[in-house]
Amino acid sequence: MKQFLSVSDVPDINALIAKAAAHKAAPFASSHLGQQKMVINLFFNSSLRTRMSTEKAARQLGADVITYDASGGWGIEFEDGTIMNANTAEHVREAAGVLSQYCDVLCVRSFPTLTDKEADYADRIMKAFVKYASVPVVSMESATRHPLQSLTDCLTISEHRRTARPKVVLTWAPHPRRLPQCVANSFAEWMQAWGEVDLIIANPEGFDLAPAFAPKSIVSHNQAEAFAGADFIYAKNWSAYDDYGATADLPDWIIDEQKMALTNDAFFMHCLPVRRNMVVSDAVIDSPNSLVLQQANNRTWAAQAVLGSML
């Protein structure tokens, strides 16, 4: 892989899942791949799991790691032709070129504004680094997708599925803040491309994802009906795509014991962090069927599979 921005960059999803599982079984077996190599992690917004798991993955491959918080005072300009007499200190053309000389793989995490749909879905930060970097670029989340999380989710489902083709429900859940569509977009995209699950997306009216990620044929506005017979419930909040960035106070969409009782003894998944007793009840997230910690652990192996393929 020359880049890892979406599922379209992966020639064989099952092969990449198998690599992640192999790294999980033997974390240091491929430590020669990163010897005398450098990975730079560039964060335009903060992170816990993504930062720690990607650093751990790189180090287990034998690489050195530099992590830089780019959300502070060092402003990077992304528009061409701009007279840089304001707050930006350096153009992405130079920034990407310089960083490429310092590393063998460049990992970038950006975030949407949730105010300008056209600008967010243009994914200008990620695309600019891909355009001007001379080394492979890994998305640690962009304005529209979170592919490392989605690979993690594929690995987690493959480890715990009880049937060859489980029913997987991606369900909208309440949240006090407006959140991007990145995780939901990416999860829907990967599940459909993987082709080994039956995916249903449950969300309230007005919260359909972009049609490119979620065709109407897999969308339900009835959460209870969607949960019926499900094998996996993946909860995530996202703000509206059509009325871009809007949110709603819909506490009835919480995932609780009554809703999980509608399923086929389903596993519960969430990418974390999660707002307890708002997104999901304590009883559900603390139950034996909760996979949230297993998912978080699998973030390392997903990152190791991607970085190992590039190194």
Side-chain angles (χ1 to χ4, degrees), residues 8-311:
S8 63
D9 295 314
V10 181
D12 187 330
I13 296 174
N14 279 323
L16 195 58
I17 294 171
K19 282 187 178 181
H23 287 302
K24 186 174 184 177
F28 297 98
S30 299
S31 60
H32 61 284
L33 293 177
Q35 288 182 4
Q36 299 183 7
K37 300 287 180 67
M38 177 66 70
V39 173
I40 289 180
N41 294 334
L42 189 63
F43 285 89
F44 287 90
N45 72 298
S46 59
S47 167
L48 177 64
R49 273 152 297 280
T50 298
R51 174 172 179 170
M52 300 303 175
S53 61
T54 306
E55 285 193 12
K56 181 182 178 184
R59 290 194 170 101
Q60 288 178 170
L61 290 167
D64 287 321
V65 185
I66 298 173
T67 295
Y68 180 69
D69 178 6
S71 63
W74 195 258
I76 296 178
E77 179 61 55
F78 291 92
E79 297 294 334
D80 285 331
T82 301
I83 298 174
M84 292 175 57
N85 59 357
N87 295 326
T88 52
E90 183 166 10
H91 200 279
V92 67
R93 289 172 179 260
E94 288 76 57
V98 168
L99 290 171
S100 296
Q101 297 178 94
Y102 297 160
C103 69
D104 300 278
V105 178
L106 178 60
C107 303
V108 180
R109 180 181 174 103
S110 62
F111 211 65
T113 64
L114 295 179
T115 58
D116 186 332
K117 178 164 64 176
E118 184 177 346
D120 285 346
Y121 273 73
D123 235 341
R124 64 172 188 161
I125 292 177
M126 196 63 64
K127 288 181 179 177
F129 277 100
V130 171
K131 181 177 181 179
Y132 296 119
S134 58
V135 296
V137 174
V138 173
S139 170
M140 299 187 295
E141 189 174 19
S142 75
T144 59
R145 293 176 171 92
H146 198 340
L148 282 176
Q149 180 63 56
S150 300
L151 175 57
T152 295
D153 300 333
C154 289
L155 173 61
T156 306
I157 290 171
S158 71
E159 289 176 326
H160 294 276
R161 61 183 172 186
R162 306 184 190 105
T163 62
R165 192 176 182 84
K167 178 181 177 180
V168 176
V169 178
L170 169 63
T171 181
W172 187 93
H175 199 280
R177 298 174 57 203
R178 58 181 192 157
L179 298 180
Q181 299 103 35
C182 314
V183 170
N185 283 347
S186 202
F187 184 81
E189 187 174 55
W190 278 70
M191 290 298 114
Q192 292 172 87
W194 190 21
E196 297 199 4
V197 305
D198 290 323
L199 175 67
I200 297 293
I201 302 175
N203 58 259
E205 295 273 2
F207 286 88
D208 290 359
L209 297 171
F213 295 101
K216 291 186 181 299
S217 60
I218 63 170
V219 177
S220 171
H221 297 141
N222 187 314
Q223 192 182 36
E225 286 184 4
F227 275 43
D231 300 294
F232 292 87
I233 299 296
Y234 195 114
K236 186 71 181 79
N237 174 269
W238 60 88
S239 57
Y241 173 78
D242 289 331
D243 183 12
Y244 193 63
T247 188
D249 182 17
L250 298 169
D252 289 347
W253 278 76
I254 188 174
I255 291 78
D256 57 20
E257 308 93 298
Q258 289 72 33
K259 289 176 185 169
M260 293 298 288
L262 302 171
T263 70
N264 183 28
D265 193 30
F267 291 106
F268 174 78
M269 299 176 67
H270 191 283
C271 62
L272 300 183
V274 67
R275 301 292 185 109
R276 282 174 172 257
N277 301 309
M278 184 160 198
V279 171
V280 58
S281 68
D282 283 339
V284 171
I285 196 171
D286 292 332
S287 75
N289 281 23
S290 175
L291 299 179
V292 296
L293 294 183
Q294 291 91 326
Q295 277 178 273
N297 182 38
N298 282 342
R299 287 296 306 274
T300 297
W301 319 117
Q304 199 160 335
V306 171
L307 292 173
S309 297
M310 292 181 168
L311 290 170

